[in-house]
């Protein structure tokens, strides 16, 4: 079979797009010019002037670029490997000649010949290390290791050395229990014996509740969710720190994903709850613990618990939507006033269409808030 123009070859293992192709259907071998191949099972992506299939799992690429980054669009992959000539055996190894290793679009390493893995399944092994230098932290070296525990779980372990500040590491564990039950948790630990505590002048310039830095520091992150009673979902979010200055001084090691936690965040939030949704509404029961990183922790209000509910009803064939939302929260803390707050907000929403190109809405909302102190001492 010969094809010219916009050629697309589909198989269970891969999709290849190119300008021209020739395939021996009996032997299942052939070539594609100006090829872009995507192997979704193992996240492999290949672009080449000519991509040739030489056997069941053997390929040859001329002017090829290899990566596992799933960027898409105009974004450059975070890493890629290019070569003038490469032979690859899926599930085994590849041999590349005149190979260049790129970070983004910048070549940083050159190899006359390079052997690289071409595994089709997850495998345990060391990942690319990270190194740098800082006048505050000294020489920095981070070495991640990926552990493929089984088909439903894996972990990343990272050793972290900062010669002028601290030594420690991180671990992230990810798991899938069922189609709707999954989670991921990460733990960071550092020992400050190398760098010691902040000097007195520097500590006075930091506006936080507790300026003391313990010798042993840690951070815990994570999320778990799974089905609960009926169609409801039980969830747990974990975000806890050993001290108020942890996020300002320590970066999460490369290879560990804990979500977005800015250095200047005011509170950490750990919570657990159950949420039930239906067409037009929801019911949520949640308990939240806040860790204050600025003011004394004894004054921090904790929401134990919060109950929220809302429901919407379309009226007049959907031309008007009536909605009622409300919540009740019980606040407690170690020192200061305790109490509860109830909010209720009935609302009417009317969408308006002005011809084909203009639209808007009219919204009427009434909000009432009730407060009550349970501890007046």
């Amino acid at each position: 079979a010969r094809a010219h123009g916009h050629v697309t070859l589909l198989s269970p293992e891969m999709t290849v797009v190119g300008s021209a192709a020739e395939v021996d259907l009996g032997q299942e071998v052939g070539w594609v010019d100006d090829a872009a191949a995507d192997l979704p099972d193992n996240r492999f992506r290949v672009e080449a002037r000519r991509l040739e299939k030489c056997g069941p799992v053997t390929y040859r690429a001329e002017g090829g670029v290899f990566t596992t980054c799933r960027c898409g669009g105009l974004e450059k992959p975070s890493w890629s490997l290019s070569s003038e000539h490469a032979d690859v055996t899926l599930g085994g190894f590849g041999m590349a000649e005149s190979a260049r290793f790129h970070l983004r679009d910048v070549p940083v390493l050159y190899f006359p010949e390079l052997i690289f893995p071409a595994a089709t399944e997850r495998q345990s092994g060391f990942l690319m290390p990270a190194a740098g230098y800082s006048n505050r932290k000294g020489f920095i070296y981070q070495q991640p290791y990926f552990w493929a525990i089984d088909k439903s779980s894996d972990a990343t372990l990272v050793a972290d050395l900062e010669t002028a500040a601290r030594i420690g590491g991180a671990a992230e564990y990810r798991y899938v229990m069922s189609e709707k039950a999954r989670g991921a948790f990460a733990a960071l630990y550092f020992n400050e014996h190398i760098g010691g505590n902040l000097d007195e002048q520097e500590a006075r310039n930091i506006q936080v509740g507790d300026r003391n830095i313990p010798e042993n520091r840690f951070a815990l992150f994570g999320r778990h969710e799974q089905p609960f009673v009926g169609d409801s979902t039980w969830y747990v979010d974990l975000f806890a720190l050993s001290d108020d200055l942890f996020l300002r001084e320590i970066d999460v090691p490369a290879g560990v994903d804990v979500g977005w936690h800015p250095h200047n965040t005011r509170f950490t939030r750990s919570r657990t709850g159950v949420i039930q949704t239906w067409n037009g509404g929801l019911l949520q029961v949640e308990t939240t613990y806040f860790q204050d990183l600025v003011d004394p922790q004894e004054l921090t209000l904790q929401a134990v618990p919060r109950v929220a509910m809302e429901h919407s009803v379309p009226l007049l064939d959907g031309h008007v939507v009536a909605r009622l939302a409300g919540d009740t929260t019980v606040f407690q803390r170690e020192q200061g006033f305790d109490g509860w707050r109830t909010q209720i907000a009935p609302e009417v929403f009317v969408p308006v269409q002005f011809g084909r190109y203009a639209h808007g809405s009219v919204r009427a909302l009434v909000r009432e808030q009730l407060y009550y102190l349970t501890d007046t001492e």
Side-chain angles (χ1 to χ4, degrees), residues 84-352:
E84 290 299 319
H85 175 86
D87 293 308
V88 180
T89 300
L90 295 181
F93 293 88
M95 171 68 77
E97 298 178 359
S98 300
R100 293 174 173 83
F101 183 79
H102 301 255
L103 293 178
R104 294 297 179 185
D105 207 24
V106 180
V108 294
L109 294 173
Y110 172 78
F111 305 91
E113 290 189 352
L114 176 66
I115 298 177
F116 60 93
T120 57
E121 296 182 357
R122 296 178 306 148
Q123 290 186 351
S124 300
F126 289 99
L127 304 178
M128 186 66 66
Y133 179 80
S134 165
N135 58 0
R136 187 182 184 91
K137 299 179 181 181
F139 176 72
I140 305 169
Y141 182 80
Q142 298 174 350
Q143 178 59 65
Y145 178 83
F146 177 76
W147 180 19
I149 302 173
D150 54 39
K151 290 184 177 181
S152 300
S153 63
D154 54 45
T156 302
L157 311 175
V158 184
D160 190 321
L161 172 63
E162 302 170 12
T163 57
R166 59 188 62 89
I167 185 173
E172 181 185 10
Y173 174 63
R174 300 163 293 267
Y175 57 91
V176 176
M177 301 169 58
S178 67
E179 183 179 356
K180 296 183 179 181
R182 63 186 61 210
F185 288 88
L188 282 64
Y189 169 79
F190 291 92
N191 183 275
E192 297 285 330
H193 182 73
I194 298 177
N197 210 325
L198 289 176
D199 60 64
E200 184 177 353
Q201 179 62 35
E202 185 177 13
R204 282 199 298 265
N205 295 330
I206 301 177
Q207 300 301 315
V208 295
D210 187 358
R211 299 178 179 85
N212 294 320
I213 297 180
E215 182 173 330
N216 297 299
R217 310 174 74 180
F218 66 85
L220 302 174
F221 307 89
R223 178 170 179 82
H224 171 83
E225 60 181 41
Q226 70 177 55
F228 199 57
V229 178
D231 295 329
S232 64
T233 299
W234 172 52
Y235 59 89
V236 176
D237 285 326
L238 177 63
F239 184 11
L241 304 173
S242 61
D243 57 274
D244 293 347
L245 294 172
F246 189 98
L247 292 180
R248 303 193 186 199
E249 295 196 333
I250 300 178
D251 295 321
V252 177
V256 175
D257 181 16
V258 299
W260 184 70
H261 298 293
H263 293 283
N264 60 347
T265 186
R266 171 68 186 271
F267 294 95
T268 72
R269 183 183 68 174
S270 299
R271 62 178 183 168
T272 182
V274 176
I275 184 170
Q276 171 75 59
T277 61
W278 59 85
N279 185 21
L282 66 84
L283 172 64
Q284 183 179 23
V285 180
E286 178 181 277
T287 295
T288 305
Y289 180 83
F290 294 99
Q291 180 181 0
D292 195 328
L293 304 181
V294 176
D295 291 330
Q297 182 65 23
E298 296 80 7
L299 303 177
T300 305
L301 289 169
Q302 312 298 343
V304 285
R306 174 180 179 267
V307 180
M309 185 176 182
E310 67 176 62
H311 186 68
S312 300
V313 178
L315 304 174
L316 302 178
D317 295 328
H319 295 290
V320 178
V321 177
R323 176 175 176 266
L324 179 63
D327 67 80
T328 296
T329 307
V330 178
F331 293 101
Q332 295 184 10
R333 55 184 170 182
E334 297 181 30
Q335 295 181 11
F337 297 108
D338 298 334
W340 56 261
R341 179 193 65 198
T342 295
Q343 303 180 103
I344 187 169
E347 174 187 353
V348 176
F349 178 82
V350 181
V352 181

